[in-house]
């Protein structure tokens, strides 16, 4: 009897122990997943709703059409988030990444929409997505052509060129505008965002923009600046209508403008993906970046087909992952599923569309200014003591801000050229890319700055430490 007993011990010791899943693959209990997913949804929702709202208002669309744009954007963003987090074959980084429409596309979408209609915007979006999927395998190997000198300049112009749009929302486009009450309401909204960011605990401070929107809207009621009639008129449940704006139309100048913007989006997406990979300790490699870009492209194709706009990674969610240390991709995937559900509730879209212009304008001023500041932060990593780099920045900024200060500057040019140059973002990207290539011949002019701008405001180099933080965060 002793021999069998003795033999059983090493067998037990040699039995392989269960492998602990990577924190990214951990699936917390449902009672913890739901609130954690809601947090991602709340942080990203304002951006997802604001982009189609700004485009719709700039094009003078009625509220019911704006609601359709918001619903379509939520639907596509949710599907894209599920694709990026869970993955399908060669698509998706399988990381905790929230996807949504990008503010980068606002200016070209408005310009193309005014010139050719929204159907041309959606057609250009489809082409941009197809190109993204096609170039994803080798795009990561060409990032040296988009150093901080180029990406920082473009991102800065993206933010600063949109500030006039925020001002237009504050003053209003109707006769007489919102007057002094509108200016005061916008100022109070901005102050509220600042106070929450400065005084609230970090977990509350992450919702500073949403708190500013809610409080500003509440203050608008006694001022007579709130009109919620559209909420009551909207149906409780309805299907998004992908053909409400007609079948996509493919216009060459519109496609060129959107492709330039999509190049910037791809650079940003690579930076966000690598930032998330560094935080969670997984995914800082070429294949992951390729799968992430393929998911971006596939989602953008779907977005154009469903009457929405280019889809990219959301930097806000990157910061949230870093702060909360809850790194499960399943938490973010559930947030994507919730977005899909919200897309079928038009009343919610109507509530967003009813946000007063001064409130939205005040918040937009903060958001657009922040985008511009991020661009300057990235640009600071370039060697601006080099006169060639300084000249590149000067000319790129000039090209990008000309349409902002002088909208008719390019009026004498053919429409095909004007559609591209009237987009300050496209003009900035073309000038910065061309001059960087001319002066540096495709060589990286700066010391290796790492994978890209860190939206979270900090970097984590120790993947193991990051992983340990996830476990602690999810267990709390």
């Amino acid at each position: 009897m002793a021999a069998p007993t003795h033999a059983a011990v090493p067998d037990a010791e040699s039995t392989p122990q269960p492998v602990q899943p990577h924190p990214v693959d951990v699936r917390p209990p449902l009672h913890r997943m739901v609130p954690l997913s809601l947090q991602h949804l709340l942080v990203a929702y304002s951006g997802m709703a604001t982009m189609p709202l700004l485009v719709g208002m700039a094009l003078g669309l009625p509220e019911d059409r704006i609601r359709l744009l918001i619903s379509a954007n939520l639907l596509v963003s949710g599907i894209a988030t599920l694709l990026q987090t869970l993955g399908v074959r060669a698509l998706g980084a399988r990381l905790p990444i929230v996807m949504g429409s990008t503010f980068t596309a606002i200016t070209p979408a408005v310009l193309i929409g005014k010139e050719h209609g929204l159907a041309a915007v959606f057609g250009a979006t489809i082409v941009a997505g197809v190109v993204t999927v096609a170039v994803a395998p080798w795009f990561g190997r060409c990032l040296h052509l988009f150093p901080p000198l180029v990406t920082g300049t473009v991102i800065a112009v993206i933010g600063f060129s949109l500030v006039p749009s925020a001002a237009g929302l504050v003053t209003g486009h109707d006769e007489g505008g919102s007057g002094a009450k509108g200016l005061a309401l916008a100022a109070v909204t901005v102050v509220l965002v600042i106070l929450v960011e400065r005084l609230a605990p970090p977990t509350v401070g992450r919702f500073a923009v949403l708190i500013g929107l809610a409080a500003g809207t509440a203050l608008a009621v006694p001022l007579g600046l709130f009109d919620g009639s559209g909420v009551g008129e909207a149906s409780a449940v309805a299907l998004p209508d992908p053909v409400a704006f007609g079948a996509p139309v493919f216009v060459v100048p519109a496609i060129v403008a959107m492709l330039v913007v999509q190049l910037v989006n791809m650079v940003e997406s690579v930076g966000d993906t690598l930032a998330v990979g560094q935080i969670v300790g997984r995914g800082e490699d070429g294949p992951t970046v390729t799968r992430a870009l393929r998911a971006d492209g596939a989602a953008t194709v779907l977005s154009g087909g469903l009457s929405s706009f280019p889809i990219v990674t959301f930097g806000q969610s990157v910061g949230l992952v870093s702060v909360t240390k809850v790194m499960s991709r399943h938490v973010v995937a559930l947030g994507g599923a919730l977005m899909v559900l919200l897309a079928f509730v038009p009343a919610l879209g109507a509530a967003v569309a009813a946000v007063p212009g001064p409130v939205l304008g005040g918040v937009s001023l903060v958001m657009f200014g922040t985008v511009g500041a991020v661009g300057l932060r990235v640009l600071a990593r370039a060697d601006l003591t080099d006169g060639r780099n300084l000249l590149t920045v000067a000319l790129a900024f000039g090209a990008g801000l000309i349409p902002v200060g002088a909208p008719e500057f390019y009026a004498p040019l053919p429409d095909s050229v004007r559609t591209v140059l009237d987009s300050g973002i496209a003009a900035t990207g073309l000038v910065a890319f061309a001059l960087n290539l001319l002066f540096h011949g495709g060589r990286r002019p700066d010391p290796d700055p790492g994978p890209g701008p860190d939206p979270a405001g900090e970097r984590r180099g120790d993947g193991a430490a990051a992983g340990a933080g996830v476990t602690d965060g999810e267990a709390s």
Side-chain angles (χ1 to χ4, degrees):
M1 297 296 292
T5 304
H6 180 72
V9 174
D11 288 343
E13 291 178 347
S14 64
T15 302
Q17 298 298 316
V19 178
Q20 292 297 322
H22 191 282
V24 168
D25 298 321
V26 169
R27 185 176 299 175
L30 188 61
H31 70 275
R32 286 208 298 269
M33 280 186 67
V34 172
L36 291 173
S37 300
L38 284 174
Q39 184 169 234
H40 277 282
L41 176 62
L42 291 173
V43 169
Y45 181 80
S46 61
M48 295 177 184
T50 299
M51 195 279 180
L53 181 58
L54 290 176
V55 172
M57 294 180 70
L59 295 177
L61 298 180
E63 284 195 7
D64 62 327
R65 295 291 177 173
I66 294 177
R67 291 197 293 269
L68 287 176
L69 286 179
I70 294 174
S71 295
N73 195 25
L74 276 172
L75 176 61
V76 176
S77 297
I79 295 174
T81 300
L82 288 168
L83 179 62
Q84 193 71 273
T85 53
L86 302 181
V88 177
R89 296 183 180 275
L91 300 178
R94 295 167 176 83
L95 293 173
I97 297 175
V98 174
M99 304 290 289
S101 57
T102 169
F103 285 179
T104 311
I106 291 179
T107 299
V110 171
L111 293 173
I112 296 169
K114 289 181 177 179
E115 185 73 20
H116 304 286
L118 273 175
V121 176
F122 304 142
T125 298
I126 291 174
V127 174
V130 171
V131 171
T132 301
V133 174
V135 304
W138 57 268
F139 184 83
R141 297 193 296 270
C142 298
L143 287 182
H144 63 283
L145 297 177
F146 302 92
L149 178 67
V150 176
T151 56
T153 302
V154 173
I155 294 171
V157 170
I158 288 171
F160 296 140
S161 65
L162 292 173
V163 169
S165 299
L169 290 171
V170 173
T171 58
H173 302 288
D174 298 331
E175 185 176 352
S178 60
K181 292 191 294 185
L183 293 176
L185 181 58
V188 170
T189 302
V190 172
V191 170
L192 286 171
V193 173
I194 294 173
L195 290 177
V196 172
E197 183 69 29
R198 174 64 180 85
L199 302 177
T203 52
V204 178
R206 301 300 299 178
F207 304 104
V209 170
L210 291 175
I211 292 172
L213 282 170
T217 301
L219 291 173
V221 176
L223 294 176
L225 296 176
F226 177 79
D227 180 11
S229 58
V231 179
E233 297 171 359
S235 56
V237 179
L239 295 176
D241 187 357
V243 297
F245 301 93
V249 174
F250 301 95
V251 180
V252 172
I255 292 172
V256 172
M258 198 64 76
L259 285 176
V260 172
V261 170
Q262 189 67 4
L263 275 176
V264 179
N265 293 340
M266 291 175 70
V267 173
E268 291 186 69
S269 290
V270 169
D272 285 344
T273 302
L274 292 176
V276 171
Q278 192 172 65
I279 292 169
V280 303
R282 189 176 85 177
E284 297 178 84
D285 55 84
T288 299
V289 170
T290 298
R291 292 197 305 270
L293 288 176
R294 282 178 179 150
D296 281 10
T300 298
V301 172
L302 177 65
S303 187
L306 294 179
S307 302
S308 195
F309 309 98
I311 299 295
V312 297
T313 56
F314 254 42
Q316 298 97 314
S317 69
V318 179
L320 189 58
V321 170
S322 178
V323 170
T324 63
K325 300 181 178 62
V326 178
M327 303 176 188
S328 169
R329 60 192 176 102
H330 299 288
V331 167
V332 179
L334 180 56
L338 294 175
M339 295 176 207
V340 173
L341 290 177
L342 291 179
F344 296 92
V345 186
L348 181 59
V352 175
V355 173
V359 175
L360 185 61
V363 168
S364 298
L365 181 62
V366 175
M367 297 173 71
F368 296 154
T370 300
V371 174
V374 169
L376 294 181
R377 186 181 69 184
V378 176
L379 187 59
R381 296 160 57 187
D383 180 12
L384 296 183
T385 62
D386 186 331
R388 297 171 299 176
N389 289 349
L390 203 59
L391 180 60
T392 298
V393 174
L395 293 178
F397 261 88
L401 296 180
I402 281 175
V404 177
E408 299 301 318
F409 185 84
Y410 297 115
L413 299 179
D415 290 343
S416 57
V417 178
R418 184 181 176 186
T419 301
V420 176
L421 295 181
D422 273 348
S423 168
I425 300 168
T428 299
L430 289 173
V431 172
F433 177 82
L435 290 181
N436 177 68
L437 201 61
L438 174 66
F439 289 142
H440 301 288
R443 294 177 290 105
R444 188 187 299 275
D446 315 291
D448 187 358
D454 179 19
E458 59 179 333
R459 312 293 294 178
R460 280 181 169 83
D462 187 351
V470 179
T471 305
D472 294 340
E474 288 178 351
S476 59

